[in-house]
């Protein structure tokens, strides 16, 4: 029988290793002096955040890069996905083991393109057919929900949809603002150092906290 503790994982930086500077490096190498005006324009229009909440399709997102005529679709996809590194097998093993005893969830700020790449890589590398179904009770992606962390409403939506009690729920993320938002709703939190091993951190938390709220 599962313990009455819910654990919500962030994906990138907690489970999946990321190269945070890779996207800008790749595009800058491709575009040279044209890089800065393009990215400044995209940030001004909040294009990246809008893509993460599913405001428009992958095709429209790619068009923002392709309309310059300086990039091919393959170059854009390769550069955009360059942030994604690996999800080590021992972390997947840990998730499976954890899911036997706890309620395990996923909550990720991400976009359609990155999810397609992640899931394709997991299928090739490990034979995983349905990442969310195999490793989590429920998995939530921002682009499907129309909202993103650190908005409080996304945490409220997850608690309501999964019928979770905030005090019995642990949220793990590598972003301080996301952690603060979740903690403000009474969710226990762990601020995790990106691209480091979560298993010893979480198991120590479970051993020592036993449901006592902790905000790192």
């Amino acid at each position: 029988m599962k313990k009455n503790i819910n654990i919500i994982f962030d994906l990138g930086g907690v489970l999946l290793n990321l190269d945070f500077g890779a996207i800008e490096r790749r595009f800058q190498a491709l575009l040279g002096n044209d890089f800065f005006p393009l990215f400044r324009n995209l940030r001004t229009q909040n294009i990246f955040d809008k893509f993460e909440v599913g405001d428009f399709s992958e095709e429209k997102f790619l068009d923002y890069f392709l309309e310059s005529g300086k990039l091919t679709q393959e170059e854009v996809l390769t550069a955009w996905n360059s942030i994604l590194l690996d999800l080590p097998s021992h972390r997947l093993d840990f998730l499976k083991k954890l899911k036997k005893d706890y309620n395990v969830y996923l909550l990720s700020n991400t976009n359609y393109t990155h999810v397609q790449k992640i899931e394709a890589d997991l299928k090739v590398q490990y034979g995983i057919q349905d990442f969310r179904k195999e490793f989590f009770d429920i998995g939530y992606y921002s682009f499907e929900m129309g909202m993103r962390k650190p908005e409080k409403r996304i945490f409220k939506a997850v608690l309501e949809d999964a019928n979770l009690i905030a005090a019995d729920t642990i949220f793990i993320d590598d972003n301080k603002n996301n952690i603060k938002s979740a903690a403000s709703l009474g969710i226990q939190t762990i601020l995790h150092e990106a691209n480091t091993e979560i298993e010893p951190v979480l198991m120590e938390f479970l051993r020592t906290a036993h449901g006592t709220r902790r905000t790192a």
Side-chain angles (χ1 to χ4, degrees):
M1 185 175 179
K2 288 190 177 185
K3 299 176 183 178
N4 190 32
I5 298 176
N6 317 303
I7 304 170
I8 305 175
F9 286 90
D10 175 36
L11 180 56
V14 174
L15 298 172
L16 176 76
N17 291 322
L18 299 178
D19 183 345
F20 292 97
I23 291 176
E24 292 197 6
R25 290 198 307 271
R26 291 291 184 93
F27 277 112
Q28 191 167 0
L30 290 167
L31 293 168
N33 292 334
D34 293 324
F35 165 78
F36 293 102
L38 172 62
F39 266 64
R40 184 165 54 247
N41 182 46
L42 294 177
R43 289 195 179 99
T44 299
Q45 298 181 69
N46 291 321
I47 296 304
F48 303 121
D49 289 351
K50 288 178 179 178
F51 191 38
E52 272 197 347
V53 297
D55 276 1
F56 42 75
S57 66
E58 178 185 63
E59 182 180 5
K60 184 174 179 180
F61 178 71
L62 295 175
D63 283 343
Y64 284 104
F65 295 92
L66 297 177
E67 63 186 9
S68 68
K70 298 179 181 297
L71 299 167
T72 66
Q73 181 169 306
E74 183 179 358
E75 287 174 332
V76 175
L77 287 171
T78 299
W80 183 245
N81 288 329
S82 63
I83 187 175
L84 308 172
L85 297 179
D86 64 316
L87 206 171
S89 60
H90 62 270
R91 293 183 192 165
L92 293 170
D93 293 339
F94 174 57
L95 286 174
K96 278 193 172 180
K97 180 174 65 176
L98 201 66
K99 192 181 175 186
K100 292 178 181 178
D101 296 321
Y102 300 91
N103 305 308
V104 181
Y105 302 89
L106 177 70
L107 177 58
S108 174
N109 281 355
T110 190
N111 58 82
Y112 175 84
T113 305
H114 282 166
V115 167
Q116 293 302 301
K117 173 64 173 171
I118 292 165
E119 293 184 348
D121 286 349
L122 290 174
K123 185 175 182 179
V124 170
Q125 188 171 4
Y126 303 119
I128 295 169
Q129 299 298 317
D130 190 328
F131 173 57
R132 286 187 285 184
K133 186 174 182 179
E134 289 184 37
F135 294 93
F136 306 94
D137 290 273
I138 308 176
Y140 299 94
Y141 291 143
S142 61
F143 77 95
E144 295 175 339
M145 298 181 73
M147 58 187 92
R148 65 193 295 276
K149 301 174 289 186
E151 297 174 56
K152 290 183 183 180
R153 63 183 181 133
I154 197 170
F155 295 106
K156 291 178 180 178
V158 169
L159 293 175
E160 181 177 351
D161 183 73
N163 195 27
L164 307 180
I165 297 172
D168 296 331
T169 301
I170 303 165
F171 172 62
I172 307 163
D173 202 294
D174 61 328
N175 182 289
K176 191 171 185 178
N177 290 330
N178 297 342
I179 288 293
K180 286 182 176 180
S181 182
S184 73
L185 298 174
I187 299 171
Q188 300 180 67
T189 59
I190 298 174
L191 178 58
H192 185 63
E193 182 181 352
N195 297 343
T196 63
E197 295 306 324
I198 186 56
E199 181 173 1
V201 176
L202 178 57
M203 296 313 295
E204 177 65 17
F205 180 92
L206 291 169
R207 279 194 295 269
T208 60
H210 296 293
T212 301
R213 181 178 174 181
R214 165 185 166 187
T215 302

